[in-house]
Amino acid sequence: MKKYFVIIITLISTLGFSQNSEKAKKYLETVSTKVKSYENISIDFKYSLKNEAENIEQTTKGNVYLKGEQYLLNLMGVTRLFDGKKSYTINSEDEEITVTNAADDDEGAITPSKMLTFYKDGYTYAWDKELPIKGRSIQYIKLTPIDSNSEIKYVLLGIDTHTKNIYNLIENGKNGTTTTLTVNSFKTNQPLSESLFIFDRNKYSDYYFNE
């Protein structure tokens, strides 16, 4: 699942900016500040993966709810819940649940709660193209990993210039795979159940727990 978390938003380096990258930095900081101001966020999205050389193309839908550090992500038949202390990866097909402590998670892993903060380190960035899409103006920021061993060639983050919300993210891999996440619905400050981010072990008495 860590691969999918990387596809849920973006990055930045803090050294050696040109005027072009300074412009990109300020724009991303504006978006980040706005996202942090929401009490909670609910996103429905489309996830697609394509590799023409390997003749691979797949598309699926997912959703994520975020409140502070807590999140509930549903994607590709797997649910991941983070209650602020522990994360629960629930695989209903295999009837298996993996439980990890927050401190045990890979520090480099990108989780939904880090959507617009993981860009603070690890990438250079640049102001890119602006495109009209479905009646909206989408400004792209290009993010390139500093680590030359990264499997990612570059990422394009599309931001709606009017709402300053994320429209899509396009990740281009060095293996020729292009992964795209497109936001279909972006809602904020919704009335969420108090139990949404609480894991109820009683619901999964027949599951195998890996912890």
Side-chain angles (χ1 to χ4, degrees):
M1 291 296 290
K2 290 180 180 178
K3 166 68 177 177
Y4 305 134
F5 296 152
V6 175
I7 308 302
I8 302 188
I9 301 139
T10 218
L11 49 233
I12 296 175
S13 168
T14 56
L15 298 173
F17 300 131
S18 64
Q19 182 177 2
N20 180 277
S21 54
E22 273 290 352
K23 184 178 181 181
K25 175 189 175 183
K26 290 179 180 179
Y27 200 74
L28 287 176
E29 288 179 344
T30 298
V31 177
S32 180
T33 298
K34 185 172 183 179
V35 168
K36 291 177 181 178
S37 71
Y38 301 133
E39 181 180 347
N40 61 63
I41 301 173
S42 304
I43 300 174
D44 291 329
F45 60 87
K46 181 176 74 173
Y47 173 89
S48 63
L49 182 149
K50 186 175 183 178
N51 186 312
E52 292 184 356
E54 299 293 333
N55 196 28
I56 297 173
E57 186 170 359
Q58 63 183 57
T59 301
T60 188
K61 293 181 179 180
N63 60 66
V64 61
Y65 301 89
L66 304 110
K67 183 177 182 180
E69 292 297 310
Q70 299 174 313
Y71 62 81
L72 177 65
L73 170 68
N74 297 294
L75 180 64
M76 300 182 76
V78 177
T79 296
R80 177 147 174 168
L81 167 69
F82 181 62
D83 61 11
K85 296 181 180 180
K86 292 185 177 182
S87 63
Y88 303 85
T89 301
I90 306 166
N91 189 323
S92 297
E93 183 177 352
D94 296 336
E95 294 190 343
E96 180 178 354
I97 297 175
T98 300
V99 184
T100 57
N101 293 316
D104 296 333
D105 277 347
D106 185 351
E107 290 185 0
I110 308 306
T111 62
S113 57
K114 298 178 183 177
M115 296 178 45
L116 271 173
T117 59
F118 80 93
Y119 69 77
K120 297 291 184 181
D121 187 31
Y123 295 81
T124 59
Y125 49 93
W127 195 258
D128 207 85
K129 56 192 174 185
E130 182 177 342
L131 296 175
I133 300 177
K134 296 181 179 180
R136 291 187 283 180
S137 177
I138 307 300
Q139 175 64 54
Y140 283 92
I141 305 296
K142 184 176 182 178
L143 308 134
T144 305
I146 294 173
D147 183 1
S148 60
N149 294 319
S150 174
E151 296 179 359
I152 300 172
K153 188 176 181 180
Y154 64 88
V155 176
L156 288 172
L157 180 69
I159 300 168
D160 187 313
T161 60
H162 176 67
T163 65
K164 297 299 187 295
N165 290 331
I166 296 167
Y167 169 71
N168 69 351
L169 179 145
I170 305 168
E171 178 189 285
N172 291 272
K174 292 181 179 178
N175 64 354
T177 298
T178 299
T179 309
T180 305
L181 183 148
T182 303
V183 175
N184 293 324
S185 172
F186 189 101
K187 299 179 180 179
T188 61
N189 303 333
Q190 298 295 297
L192 302 180
S193 169
E194 293 183 2
S195 62
L196 185 62
F197 304 107
I198 299 176
F199 180 75
D200 185 354
R201 188 177 287 258
N202 294 325
K203 292 183 179 179
Y204 305 97
S205 58
D206 296 332
Y207 282 49
Y208 171 75
F209 280 78
N210 180 16
E211 51 187 328

